[in-house]
Amino acid sequence: MNALAARRPRPATTVLLLILALVLGAAALVTFATRPASASSAASGDQIAQGKALFQASCASCHGINAQGTMTGSGTNVAGPALAGVGAAAVDFQVGTGRMPMAAPSIQAPRSKVQFSQEQIYAMAAYIASLAPGPAIPTAAQVDFAKGNAAVGGEIFRVNCAMCHNFAGSGGALTRGKYAPSLAGSTPTHIYEAMLTGPQSMPIFSDSDISVVGKRDVIAYLKAISKEPTQGGSRLGSLGPVSEGLFAWVFGLGLMVAAAVWLGKKAA
Amino acid sequence: MTTGMSDHSADIAPADHPSHPAELARTAPTGQLPARFENPGLPTHIPRMADLDEKAARRAEKQVAALFGLSILGTLGFIASYYLVTEHGSVFVPGIGLMRAENLALGLCLAVSLLGIGLGAVHWAKTLMPDTEVVELRHPLRSSDEDRQALVTTLREEGRKSQLGRRPLLKYSMLGAMTLFPATLTWQLVGGLGRLPHNDLSTTEWNGRYLGGGKWQFVPKRLMRDPENTPIKASDVVIGSVFHVQPEGVLDMTEGKLEAKGKAAVLLMRLNPSDIRSTKELDWSHDGIVAYSKICTHVGCPVGLYEHQTHHLLCPCHQSTFDVTNDCHVIFGPANRPLPQLKITVDSEGYLISAQPFEEAVGPSFWERGS
């Protein structure tokens, strides 16, 4: 046996090493796949390349081949805004709620069916985040609403959010067909990202405006009220006097008319 | 009533009177209106089942009693559920979802209790109480001449006996006492409106320090986040963001806090300075950071719906829309005046402060405002 052969690993060691490499690789994959874009440095070059390819296939027609934005060609109307600096959080929100890619140009991109897998969304987010620094996707701890204070969150929500999204988060109308969507069923991460990035008509609530803890409290409040049993029966969408008034006029008056008809009818 | 009825009984005789429409049609030439429509009278009275059949009447009686019994059960159920259903329990109701069990039980029992009485009473009236038509004619409201004359005589006679005419002192002192008396009621009412407002409607906490007697001394105040009550650095305000602001000290107030908040609330926004079209707005801003009163000039709702792409500021109550790029002029809706702008600057530590009070009264118009 020569020196080289002496240093050659035995078959069992090779197998063990292979298993170890597989486990480590899988662990790394899982780590990257679940929370990749918290910082652009965490994203691998492969992921950015994949994201770029996806972006150019699905988004570039409006946002430009290098995400520089495009104009519609009529006046100052923007077909798709430039995306440098919007951050991974904006991509995860817009694509993760199905708002992007938009099916057709319209006044507001509605929430709809999600077109990409979460992994693809993270890849696109990594690509956009690599263009310029922007808000990152919040970590699991930042959106862990179980740790939030719903009472404080309710106070922040009523001052900062309720005028558009309604006291119960049911949404409401804005100008010229735009609207603030209902917050029911939104995931904590998407709520956080919406505050952070200010999608569409919504203003930005940066971490210096509503703090990281404050954002978590707001999410805790929204989750708390969604679980709360109603006090007096159907909420009628929590829309206030419009739906309640309609119900009273239709069913209340209807019942009274029926009673009047019965009163006026002769018994058999 | 009886006399009235018998007087005119000929006019309202029902049934077999020859005034049936068919009869009229025969007497009048086709296509022409008759000279006078005859009184058709009352429709024929048709007796009810309960009038003819004692068995049916007893059945109706039982139905009414059952409804009243249902009401009793409802009331007892209400009392029972008051004690038995726990305060925090919830129950799933199809179509509604999870709801408070106590309110559901109380509401349903109360409905049964009241509906039982109501439905029972109506059913009773319809099946068992007499249903023959009764006609009651109007009679003149005027009293007879003798009665009227007697009243005048009595008043005159008693007035003379009271000696009011002979003793003027009595008359005038009594009149004085009686006219003054309502002052005790109105005094409370007017006094209860509170102290005179002076210039309260034209001043806010941004005016600085209150010296008394409606006078203020201006002191710059920091802009504080509402509700966190922390000062705002100019560098904290990114373009496109919006802060809800109260003057320093207001959120620490123990007395009159809500009134102060309601007047001093301010909305802070940062625009790209090149988007601002008004020179005054730019002068009063800091690096594109503008502060406007949050109180709508229409009826005083909090104007907080800011669309950061169109720079439209919208009031949730009546959809008044203000253009943030142009002095918050009204571009839609019932508001009549632009939102007042608060001139801001930064202090030595970089925190945003007020540079002067609001130049005009915030909120809706009022009598003394002058515009």
Side-chain angles (χ1 to χ4, degrees):
Chain A
M1 194 185 269
N2 56 25
L4 208 65
R7 250 182 266 149
R8 190 181 294 150
R10 281 183 306 186
T13 322
T14 318
V15 169
L16 271 175
L17 274 174
L18 271 175
I19 289 174
L20 190 71
L22 268 175
V23 167
L24 278 177
L29 257 180
V30 165
T31 322
F32 276 122
T34 46
R35 42 181 305 277
S38 54
S40 54
S41 59
S44 66
D46 280 356
Q47 200 185 18
I48 292 173
Q50 187 205 353
K52 186 170 184 180
L54 282 166
F55 176 86
Q56 288 179 341
S58 303
C59 320
S61 57
C62 295
H63 289 290
I65 198 79
N66 291 313
Q68 78 280 22
T70 59
M71 311 294 281
T72 55
S74 83
T76 55
N77 290 338
V78 174
L83 296 181
V86 299
V91 179
D92 187 46
F93 175 83
Q94 300 281 3
V95 185
T97 58
R99 285 178 166 82
M100 292 288 151
M102 260 171 118
S106 71
I107 191 87
Q108 183 165 340
R111 186 189 297 175
S112 67
K113 196 172 165 291
V114 182
Q115 303 287 335
F116 296 94
S117 73
Q118 193 59 52
E119 205 181 323
Q120 290 172 316
I121 294 170
Y122 284 147
M124 282 186 275
Y127 165 62
I128 295 298
S130 73
L131 299 175
I137 296 171
T139 61
Q142 283 174 323
V143 296
D144 184 6
F145 57 89
K147 294 201 187 102
N149 183 337
V152 174
E155 210 174 334
I156 297 173
F157 183 86
R158 282 187 293 274
V159 174
N160 290 280
C161 323
M163 63 287 288
C164 295
H165 286 289
N166 155 313
F167 63 96
S170 308
L174 295 173
T175 61
R176 296 170 196 187
K178 296 186 286 283
Y179 59 91
S182 164
L183 302 178
S186 296
T187 66
T189 306
H190 289 152
I191 297 173
Y192 193 102
E193 288 164 347
M195 287 190 269
L196 198 59
T197 61
Q200 309 195 29
S201 295
M202 179 168 163
I204 296 161
F205 295 92
S206 61
D207 287 344
S208 59
D209 188 347
I210 299 175
S211 65
V212 177
V213 176
K215 286 192 176 74
R216 194 176 63 186
D217 291 344
V218 168
I219 297 168
Y221 169 74
L222 287 169
K223 293 298 159 192
I225 58 168
S226 71
K227 267 188 253 134
E228 188 141 291
T230 72
Q231 291 289 342
S234 176
R235 284 199 176 99
L236 302 173
S238 293
L239 293 173
V242 174
S243 57
E244 284 162 22
L246 186 71
F247 185 86
W249 280 95
V250 173
F251 289 93
L253 272 185
L255 219 65
M256 282 193 209
V257 168
V261 168
W262 178 56
L263 277 168
K265 252 175 107 177
K266 210 170 148 69
Chain B
M1 182 199 329
T2 352
T3 37
M5 272 183 76
S6 59
D7 282 347
H8 302 274
S9 52
D11 283 358
I12 52 151
D16 53 4
H17 197 270
S19 53
H20 196 265
E23 301 261 333
L24 284 173
R26 226 184 304 133
T27 49
T30 327
Q32 277 183 23
L33 286 173
R36 181 171 177 269
F37 282 105
E38 294 296 325
N39 179 359
L42 293 170
T44 332
H45 177 74
I46 303 161
R48 299 162 299 185
M49 292 272 277
D51 296 332
L52 304 171
D53 182 6
E54 179 55 28
K55 223 191 258 170
R58 216 171 301 128
R59 195 164 56 237
E61 180 190 355
K62 276 183 197 148
Q63 283 163 349
V64 173
L67 283 167
F68 286 152
L70 202 64
S71 162
I72 293 172
L73 285 182
T75 309
L76 294 178
F78 184 92
I79 297 168
S81 37
Y82 182 83
Y83 289 105
L84 295 180
V85 183
T86 55
E87 201 182 332
H88 300 294
S90 52
V91 61
F92 183 83
V93 184
I96 293 177
L98 214 56
M99 77 166 287
R100 203 66 85 200
E102 188 186 32
N103 290 343
L104 180 69
L106 291 179
L108 282 179
C109 290
L110 189 65
V112 170
S113 166
L114 285 170
L115 275 175
I117 296 175
L119 296 177
V122 172
H123 193 56
W124 177 12
K126 285 176 60 145
T127 53
L128 293 170
M129 288 186 190
D131 74 333
T132 43
E133 293 79 2
V134 176
V135 177
E136 195 175 342
L137 294 173
R138 289 185 198 162
H139 58 86
L141 291 169
R142 192 180 194 274
S143 309
S144 69
D145 285 340
E146 300 92 80
D147 287 352
R148 294 161 70 95
Q149 194 52 52
L151 178 73
V152 173
T153 321
T154 313
L155 281 178
R156 284 237 172 90
E157 184 61 21
E158 298 304 314
R160 194 185 55 75
K161 280 190 208 162
S162 71
Q163 308 195 357
L164 264 185
R166 275 179 57 209
R167 300 187 194 280
L169 184 62
L170 212 58
K171 183 159 78 185
Y172 291 120
S173 58
M174 183 186 76
L175 276 178
M178 287 178 73
T179 36
L180 201 60
F181 166 72
T184 56
L185 303 176
T186 45
W187 215 264
Q188 297 183 55
L189 207 67
V190 176
L193 294 176
R195 64 176 185 83
L196 286 173
H198 300 297
N199 58 353
D200 279 5
L201 289 173
S202 310
T203 55
T204 67
E205 285 294 318
W206 296 110
N207 282 65
R209 197 181 304 123
Y210 190 61
L211 304 174
K215 286 194 179 59
W216 296 76
Q217 184 197 10
F218 178 70
V219 228
K221 286 191 175 179
R222 277 185 178 169
L223 277 66
M224 309 293 271
R225 290 180 186 84
D226 182 18
E228 293 94 333
N229 202 16
T230 46
I232 303 164
K233 275 212 161 99
S235 53
D236 288 348
V237 189
V238 296
I239 288 183
S241 71
V242 49
F243 285 62
H244 297 260
V245 169
Q246 290 289 343
E248 188 177 358
V250 163
L251 294 171
D252 303 315
M253 286 167 91
T254 48
E255 212 171 303
K257 180 179 168 183
L258 285 180
E259 289 86 342
K261 269 180 86 173
K263 287 194 295 179
V266 154
L267 203 65
L268 189 75
M269 293 151 282
R270 186 167 203 163
L271 283 68
N272 192 336
S274 63
D275 284 340
I276 299 177
R277 287 181 289 153
S278 149
T279 330
K280 172 230 151 195
E281 181 172 347
L282 208 55
D283 284 350
W284 286 18
S285 74
H286 174 80
D287 234 358
I289 305 176
V290 293
Y292 279 96
S293 165
K294 200 170 134 184
I295 315 302
C296 187
T297 54
H298 174 224
V299 285
C301 291
V303 187
L305 288 73
Y306 174 57
E307 298 178 6
H308 87 289
Q309 291 184 334
T310 57
H311 306 297
H312 289 166
L313 189 53
L314 181 67
C315 179
C317 292
H318 306 99
Q319 283 68 51
S320 292
T321 309
F322 302 89
D323 184 358
V324 184
T325 63
N326 188 19
D327 280 336
C328 270
H329 276 295
V330 184
I331 51 172
F332 179 80
N336 198 25
R337 284 181 284 109
L339 294 170
Q341 189 179 359
L342 183 73
K343 187 176 179 181
I344 53 168
T345 180
V346 286
D347 63 11
S348 52
E349 291 172 65
Y351 288 110
L352 290 166
I353 52 167
S354 59
Q356 65 179 49
F358 281 118
E359 272 210 336
E360 50 182 320
V362 300
S365 299
F366 50 94
W367 193 260
E368 303 91 330
R369 193 179 187 280
S371 69

